[in-house]
Amino acid sequence: MPVIVVANPKGGAGKSTTALVLAQTLAGMGASVTLIDADPNRPIVDWRSGASTVRFDVIGDVTEGSIIRVIRDHRAKRQFVFVDLEGTASRLVSRAITQADLVLIPLQASGVDARQASRAVELIQEEEEAIGGRAIPFRVLLTRTNPAIPTRIEKEIVAALANAALPLLKTHLNERQAFKAMFVRRLALSELDPLQVNGLPEALRNAERLADELIDVVTPQTAEGAAA
């Protein structure tokens, strides 16, 4: 089953938000999901300590020595395995990337984030060489974008990614209060109160579109991996 690693050497790019939104959305669709929290700050482990009843496994306390074994154990019994990584280039990050069927690279629409995304691509290419040339597919995901009108800098970043031939997901993870509220209240999007959280229906639709696109991307990759 597909392993989706969420990686960017820059902190604050939206890695944990992306991983949590996708994991809970797919679990809500009926998929079996594990989310491995390999961030030293443990944001997903902290979220799981709340009252959410959405069913998916959250695994913390992984190390560079255990990360590969943990990923392999869970990919054998779950339909989706997500790995939320720390915002740095470390040995643990490298090991997780070697196990990926897809690496998601979240970035905000800024020049600093775009440059760090290029570093993430370099890390993927280095791991491809280290494991004997197996291609590790990846997609760039723009986060915290304006859901109504794209900013000028956002358009420039999209154009620059296209010129660099970097694959970009069509769906963005928009700037929504609901994505922040799920961490504050330790609840899934579907469990938040729409009377207390602005734009919740739009955030739910955004999450579903992103999950649908992810499924479309990883399904051919998983089939190719099984055939090989």
Side-chain angles (χ1 to χ4, degrees), residues 34-149:
T34 290
L35 202 172
I36 299 170
D37 185 352
D39 184 332
N41 295 318
R42 296 163 62 87
I44 309 298
V45 170
D46 179 70
W47 176 88
R48 182 80 277 183
S49 69
S52 177
T53 59
V54 174
R55 298 184 63 181
F56 64 90
D57 291 340
V58 172
I59 307 297
D61 298 321
V62 292
T63 66
E64 65 180 44
S66 68
I67 184 66
I68 290 178
R69 173 178 53 80
V70 172
I71 290 173
R72 289 177 177 175
D73 285 349
H74 283 267
R75 82 180 305 165
K77 56 188 178 183
R78 295 289 182 267
Q79 290 174 290
F80 294 91
V81 177
F82 291 91
V83 186
D84 179 31
L85 294 172
E86 59 186 322
T88 186
S90 68
R91 191 177 181 191
L92 186 151
V93 169
S94 295
R95 289 190 164 189
I97 287 173
T98 66
Q99 303 303 299
D101 295 292
L102 179 71
V103 178
L104 284 182
I105 307 173
L107 65 88
Q108 296 184 46
S110 73
V112 173
D113 275 46
R115 286 188 288 274
Q116 288 299 317
S118 297
R119 176 56 184 145
V121 174
E122 291 173 3
L123 287 173
I124 294 168
Q125 293 170 340
E126 290 169 7
E127 296 312 315
E128 287 177 337
E129 294 179 1
I131 61 177
R134 176 180 75 84
I136 302 174
F138 67 90
R139 295 291 188 279
V140 175
L141 167 67
L142 285 181
T143 62
R144 301 187 66 178
T145 57
N146 188 315
I149 303 174

Side-chain angles (χ1 to χ4, degrees), residues 7-22:
N8 188 325
K10 181 180 181 300
K15 292 184 295 295
S16 297
T17 301
T18 297
L20 182 55
V21 165
L22 285 168

